[in-house]
Amino acid sequence: MSSAWNASEVTPDGAAWLASAGTYPRSTLALWEERPDAPVVLPCGSVFDVVSAPAMFGRRMLDRLWDDGPGSGPVAQFRGRMLLFAAPGTAQRLPALLEWEEWGGRDSREATRTNAVPPLLCHGTGDAVTVPAPSGSISPAIPAPSEGISPAVPAPPESVSPAVRTPSESTSPATSPPAGATAHARSASRWLVAPDTRQPWLPGPEVLLWAAVRAARSAVRISIFPPADQDAKVYDVSRRR
């Protein structure tokens, strides 16, 4: 079954939610008001975690979430990887669940069911990710982030990818590339499912484990050549929980 989605532009509420992850949310929003084409670096761990997968495998996970599951939270593409925004705590729990899933199947016919799962890089407390710019202009009337958004902080993740920086490597309130690098940055990053509310639903570790295992199972039945129109798919965010 083909997916149907349409949520590639950040709404004002979605921008406020993203900005709430940083130390200076109002400054991040002010930056986007002035430069809506500027990606920024935001910390993980309090408002969201991020699970980074290779692009093709991440797309299979995304298809499973939308075709057979509950949908997804925000999803971005950055330099050949898929960034799935997840509930805080996912970065700590998902690697352990993947290890348990593999170990639990060693004596059964499904012993290799997680062998096709490539390394998933989990980013939580202590990491920061490059967030794509809003795809359209942000209105000066963007509301300030709600003071009540303060999810629990998980334990540190186990791995870091090139798309991630530690707090010491980024500046406050948000780090954006030089103006001359904006076009390159935009071509390297974009939203596939953009945040559209102040409190978007975010999948937890169990949901992402389910998607990863099913994506791995489907990989053996999929040609190594992706369909020509794979970038034309859109997801119907009205289904998102």
Side-chain angles (χ1 to χ4, degrees):
M1 179 173 64
S2 62
S3 301
W5 50 270
N6 186 10
S8 59
E9 185 165 334
V10 179
T11 65
D13 281 345
W17 173 74
L18 285 170
S20 71
T23 305
Y24 304 98
R26 293 182 184 275
S27 296
T28 300
L29 292 175
L31 171 65
W32 275 334
E33 289 174 11
E34 180 180 352
R35 293 179 56 198
D37 59 347
V40 300
V41 176
L42 292 174
C44 301
S46 61
V47 172
F48 54 75
D49 281 2
V50 170
V51 174
S52 172
M56 288 188 64
F57 187 81
R59 186 171 291 276
R60 290 176 190 146
M61 288 181 63
L62 196 55
D63 286 344
R64 298 285 67 76
L65 287 168
W66 285 96
D67 288 347
D68 308 317
S72 72
V75 180
Q77 187 171 321
F78 184 90
R79 293 181 180 176
R81 296 191 69 86
M82 199 80 77
L83 306 182
L84 294 95
F85 286 66
T90 299
Q92 176 188 11
R93 182 67 176 148
L94 182 58
L97 289 178
L98 284 167
E99 289 179 9
W100 179 87
E101 183 78 10
E102 182 178 2
W103 178 86
R106 284 180 180 172
D107 297 326
S108 70
R109 292 182 179 180
E110 302 225 348
T112 60
R113 60 185 172 181
T114 59
N115 287 358
V117 177
L120 301 179
L121 307 180
C122 300
H123 313 308
T125 302
D127 293 330
V129 296
T130 300
V131 174
S135 60
S137 296
I138 293 296
S139 166
I142 290 179
S146 170
E147 298 298 331
I149 301 178
S150 55
V153 176
E158 297 184 359
S159 58
V160 177
S161 79
V164 177
R165 304 179 186 181
T166 61
S168 62
E169 295 175 309
S170 61
T171 59
S172 298
T175 300
S176 64
T182 297
H184 174 73
R186 290 201 64 179
S187 66
S189 64
R190 63 182 179 125
W191 290 104
L192 298 181
V193 180
D196 57 354
T197 71
R198 282 177 173 270
Q199 294 182 316
W201 178 78
L202 298 173
E206 293 82 5
V207 171
L208 292 179
L209 172 69
W210 174 89
V213 170
R214 278 155 183 77
R217 288 173 178 171
S218 68
V220 296
R221 302 191 299 270
I222 298 176
S223 168
I224 62 172
F225 300 101
D229 63 344
Q230 66 171 341
D231 289 333
K233 299 169 75 175
V234 293
Y235 297 112
D236 179 8
V237 295
S238 64
R239 290 180 47 204
R240 184 166 56 196
R241 293 182 180 175

